[in-house]
Amino acid sequence: MLLLKILFRNAFRHKLRTILTILGMTIAILAFGILRTVVDAWYAGVEASQANRLITRNAISLTFSLPISYAEKIRQTEGVEKVSWGNWFGAYYKEEKNFFANMAVDPKSHLEIVDELILDPAEKSEYFKDRRGAIAGRKLAERFGWKIGDIITLKGTIYPGDWDFVLKGIYMGRDETVDESIFLFHWDYFNERMKVQNPMEADQAGFYIIEIERPEMAAAVSGRIDAIFKNSLAETLTETERAFQLSFVSMTEAIMMAIQLVSVVVIAIIMAVSANTMAMSVRERLAEYATMRTLGFGAGTVFLLIFGESAVITFTGALAGVALTFPAAGLFRSELGQFFPIFIVKATTIWLDLGAALVVSLVSAVVPAFRAATAPINSALRRAV
Amino acid sequence: MAEPFVKIRNLSKSYWRGGRQVPVLAGIDIDVAEGEFLALMGPSGSGKSTLLNLMAGIDNADTGTIEIGGVEITSLTEAELTAWRSDNVGFIFQFYNLVPVLTALENVELPLVLQGLSRKERKERAAFFLGLVNLSERTDHYPGQLSGGEQQRVAIARAMVTDPLLLVADEPTGDLDRRSAEEVLELMEKLNREFKKVIVMVTHDPKSAERAHVIRHLEKGYLNAAP
Ligand SMILES: Nc1ncnc2c1ncn2[C@@H]1O[C@H](COP(=O)(O)OP(=O)(O)O)[C@@H](O)[C@H]1O
Ligand SMILES: [Mg+2]
């Protein structure tokens, strides 16, 4: 149709200007999408946390531990289904830059509660049997090229020395929100060495993981647990897994807010660029729109042509940006996987991309379109002269 | 005597410039008969274009009435006026005002988009009028690839394609060399003679004006007495 031909050819009349605007839009949408995904990745642990899980830790701070004897008392608390425990180990593999989450846990009870880690039954029983046995997430094993049966030596930081483990299993996440880059091994193995090496640190758990009967009971059960250990040498702080995860990320909340703000600013900038492009293009063509109105085309046609042109430019850029977001996220995963174990572009992000493109295209076109549709025809025609 | 085709009574128009009201037309009365070819002359700034634009329904009068083919266009709403223009007026501008991103044929076809014709009918009609102005070989050329005279002939075909009652031309030869101007003027005479179009042409070239049946002079917003 003739009007569509006018619309599309107008969009590419000033090739350099249009291409630069499209390119700007592509970069803006790409940046917007990646920044939002960074924020999502940061909160991934919170997002993935289970509503029926509590974490108990030392009330003073996470760096203080709790006696292992608490396990039994917690287990007997009303509303508690299962209890497990562990210690943050903080070791690295070969070089300090190779860090990743590694923890000493009670294998059986841990996997019973944290059932989003999927392990082959044969591997599982091998892991349970061998005191030096360990399991690693699929991504972590891939990262270091570990295979089942490998002897893996970690260098301790909190608990110094070389620690040898035998890789007995590689777990997968139940879904893509599960972190597949954690290393887990027997708490008993860890504790026995502590008894020899540093008796003060023996028989201590860094945290307890608790499964409760029903999520609604979280507050009541937490209260009960903390009450038991009130006025003891090691008082406890029990909270939901979500609150526990949030307490980590809340330290960085200001940074996350800043990133989100930047993502909006990026869109605001491209909006200004795109609005400028549309304003310049339409100003140059005021006489053409006036001519069409002379021929009997109404304001609706002028709106269609200008809003359409703006949409062609912004959406061409935005769709390219959306398409590039996925390989860019892949690059992030492969290069920065240790910082962002879960780096997934969410559907919401894509919808926000498209929403941003729509807003940019409408805002860019609205003033020029009104001007071209309502300027007195005779004075707009004079501009041709 | 038959009713005139264009009947303008007591037409006044002023523009605001720098906070001051500048009168351009003051109490104009003019008739244009059926089949007439009228030339409007006068010095630059005398209000010729303003009068033509009012007649063609692309500007609004302050006072007075304009009746064309029995329709009082001064009392139409903006939307009605737009629709009226598309059916009844063909425009020829000094600078052709073709749509640069459309070919010659498409430019001629453009006004027909509003007429509810099929694509095939539109193409045929447009091709016929392009043939009438001797540009059949230029069908797929863009305005930028045509000479000024050729562009103006495309514009004439575009003005004719909806078969309007009235053709208005604002200095149609003002930007053309002598030879192209002659061609354009001959074409306009032919449209008046063979297609019975009423033509109102603004010009300040006396030689061009000779083609018309009637010449009227505008002087500072007043029409000089008819000859
Ligand atoms: N849209 C407008 N706004 C303000 N002044 C205008 C406008 N159109 C025309 N004029 C003024 O009205 C006068 C007559 O203009 P015009 O009709 O174009 O004259 P002509 O076509 O005879 O040269 C001029 O002084 C011109 O500056
Ligand atoms: Mg003029």
Side-chain angles (χ1 to χ4, degrees):
Chain A
M1 196 180 146
L2 283 185
L3 293 178
L4 281 183
K5 178 173 180 185
I6 297 177
L7 189 162
F8 277 96
R9 296 212 38 166
N10 274 349
F12 292 94
R13 233 155 116 180
H14 226 294
K15 282 208 181 52
L16 182 64
R17 189 159 75 199
T18 300
I19 287 170
L20 288 176
T21 308
I22 289 177
L23 198 67
M25 190 68 194
T26 302
I27 294 168
I29 288 294
L30 180 60
F32 181 79
I34 291 296
L35 290 174
R36 303 224 47 114
T37 306
V38 164
V39 174
D40 288 340
W42 203 250
Y43 286 100
V46 178
E47 199 92 318
S49 60
Q50 305 289 317
N52 64 339
R53 266 182 221 159
L54 303 179
I55 307 283
T56 298
R57 56 172 168 110
N58 191 299
I60 302 169
S61 108
L62 255 177
T63 54
F64 290 80
S65 52
L66 297 168
I68 194 66
S69 57
Y70 283 18
E72 207 42 49
K73 290 180 189 156
I74 293 172
R75 201 192 322 276
Q76 279 155 22
T77 308
E78 191 194 335
V80 171
E81 286 275 276
K82 293 171 189 160
V83 180
S84 188
W85 62 91
N87 283 71
W88 180 258
F89 193 57
Y92 58 87
Y93 180 61
K94 286 186 178 164
E95 290 172 74
E96 239 167 300
K97 69 176 175 61
N98 294 331
F99 59 83
F100 49 89
N102 46 81
M103 283 181 267
V105 293
D106 179 53
K108 267 197 188 118
S109 59
H110 176 258
L111 283 182
E112 265 173 41
I113 298 177
V114 186
D115 57 358
E116 63 266 31
L117 309 186
I118 309 295
L119 200 57
D120 177 85
E123 292 179 12
K124 196 187 264 186
S125 70
E126 286 296 307
Y127 166 47
F128 291 167
K129 259 189 269 174
D130 189 339
R131 273 195 329 111
R132 287 195 310 158
I135 57 171
R138 191 175 53 90
K139 280 187 193 152
L140 185 66
E142 255 167 39
R143 180 172 160 205
F144 296 122
W146 292 339
K147 290 180 300 295
I148 289 173
D150 283 1
I151 308 277
I152 292 162
T153 306
L154 298 189
K155 292 193 187 304
T157 52
I158 314 171
Y159 309 103
D162 280 357
W163 297 72
D164 289 339
F165 304 98
V166 186
L167 193 67
K168 290 295 185 182
I170 294 174
Y171 76 82
M172 301 228 306
R174 187 174 46 206
D175 56 50
E176 56 179 9
T177 66
V178 176
D179 189 350
E180 290 181 336
S181 57
I182 300 176
F183 185 88
L184 299 157
F185 58 91
H186 287 243
W187 184 84
D188 285 343
Y189 174 52
F190 158 79
N191 194 46
E192 265 148 50
R193 187 155 152 186
M194 280 298 110
K195 281 180 184 166
V196 180
Q197 201 172 302
N198 191 354
M200 288 287 289
E201 305 253 19
D203 294 326
Q204 296 282 320
F207 54 85
Y208 289 94
I209 308 177
I210 298 150
E211 188 177 307
I212 54 176
E213 282 166 24
R214 275 176 290 121
E216 313 84 79
M217 301 164 69
V221 177
S222 302
R224 267 178 232 138
I225 293 170
D226 292 344
I228 299 173
F229 305 108
K230 192 117 187 101
N231 301 321
S232 72
L233 273 175
E235 296 196 343
T236 58
L237 173 66
T238 303
E239 56 195 351
T240 59
E241 185 179 25
R242 185 185 171 80
F244 179 74
Q245 295 281 3
L246 257 178
S247 69
F248 283 103
V249 294
S250 65
M251 293 181 261
T252 53
E253 199 154 41
I255 298 173
M256 291 302 121
M257 292 283 285
I259 291 179
Q260 281 181 311
L261 188 67
V262 169
S263 75
V264 175
V265 168
V266 167
I267 297 300
I269 292 172
I270 191 61
M271 194 182 281
V273 171
S274 165
N276 182 53
T277 298
M278 286 312 294
M280 292 202 323
S281 301
V282 171
R283 192 183 318 121
E284 289 163 4
R285 293 187 226 127
L286 272 181
E288 287 170 34
Y289 296 114
T291 304
M292 290 193 61
R293 287 167 62 204
T294 304
L295 298 179
F297 290 94
T301 305
V302 175
F303 271 70
L304 172 86
L305 289 178
I306 295 172
F307 277 98
E309 180 178 344
S310 180
V312 165
I313 293 174
T314 41
F315 276 91
T316 304
L319 292 179
V322 166
L324 286 175
T325 304
F326 293 96
L331 202 66
F332 246 77
R333 266 193 298 275
S334 63
E335 298 301 311
L336 298 170
Q338 65 227 63
F339 304 106
F340 301 106
I342 308 293
F343 199 83
I344 307 159
V345 182
K346 287 194 186 171
T348 340
T349 301
I350 302 305
W351 286 116
L352 283 172
D353 280 344
L354 297 179
L358 185 65
V359 170
V360 169
S361 98
L362 293 178
V363 169
S364 308
V366 67
V367 173
F370 259 97
R371 188 150 171 237
T374 58
I377 294 181
N378 60 337
S379 40
L381 281 175
R382 275 167 180 264
R383 285 172 171 272
V385 181
Chain B
M1 191 186 151
E3 270 291 294
F5 179 67
V6 177
K7 193 164 126 188
I8 293 178
R9 292 291 174 271
N10 193 30
L11 186 70
S12 295
K13 173 76 184 174
S14 50
Y15 286 111
W16 285 91
R17 212 179 312 145
R20 245 163 28 88
Q21 197 173 14
V22 184
V24 178
L25 300 174
I28 301 273
D29 292 325
I30 189 171
D31 287 348
V32 186
E34 291 277 5
E36 191 169 303
F37 185 167
L38 171 82
L40 270 177
M41 296 192 72
S44 185
S46 58
K48 305 182 297 291
S49 294
T50 301
L51 178 56
L52 196 73
N53 290 344
L54 287 169
M55 250 187 244
I58 57 172
D59 200 353
N60 299 310
D62 296 343
T63 59
T65 57
I66 304 172
E67 207 181 294
I68 297 177
V71 179
E72 197 188 308
I73 65 166
T74 33
S75 59
L76 296 181
T77 65
E78 202 61 50
E80 288 168 338
L81 198 58
T82 304
W84 175 83
R85 272 202 309 271
S86 113
D87 292 338
N88 297 291
V89 189
F91 290 85
I92 301 159
F93 305 95
Q94 180 177 359
F95 295 100
Y96 338 124
N97 287 22
L98 299 177
V99 177
V101 295
L102 295 182
T103 63
L105 186 74
E106 288 166 339
N107 263 287
V108 178
E109 192 189 332
L110 188 58
L112 296 177
V113 168
L114 294 163
Q115 304 288 329
L117 298 177
S118 74
R119 192 183 145 82
K120 189 163 164 289
E121 285 173 309
R122 289 202 315 249
K123 293 271 179 226
E124 281 171 5
R125 252 188 104 83
F128 172 80
F129 281 97
L130 212 49
L132 188 74
V133 297
N134 275 326
L135 285 174
S136 294
E137 279 100 78
R138 301 296 203 173
T139 305
D140 294 324
H141 287 64
Y142 286 90
Q145 301 168 315
L146 300 174
S147 73
E150 288 167 333
Q151 288 189 58
Q152 193 61 297
R153 276 146 59 199
V154 174
I156 291 172
R158 178 178 70 181
M160 284 293 290
V161 78
T162 54
D163 195 22
L165 303 167
L166 174 67
L167 289 182
V168 296
D170 196 346
E171 309 203 26
T173 59
D175 201 46
L176 298 178
D177 60 68
R178 198 66 246 168
R179 225 173 63 89
S180 301
E182 290 297 332
E183 282 172 9
V184 163
L185 289 166
E186 259 151 43
L187 203 49
M188 291 180 59
E189 269 191 297
K190 181 173 161 184
L191 299 181
N192 173 251
R193 200 172 54 237
E194 291 176 18
F195 293 82
K196 310 286 176 230
K197 299 296 172 197
V198 175
I199 300 181
V200 180
M201 175 177 78
V202 166
T203 181
H204 49 222
D205 171 24
K207 270 196 80 167
S208 300
E210 276 172 22
R211 306 276 182 155
H213 312 148
V214 183
I215 302 177
R216 302 293 302 268
H217 289 267
L218 258 179
E219 205 78 60
K220 290 184 180 140
Y222 296 93
L223 271 177
N224 288 355

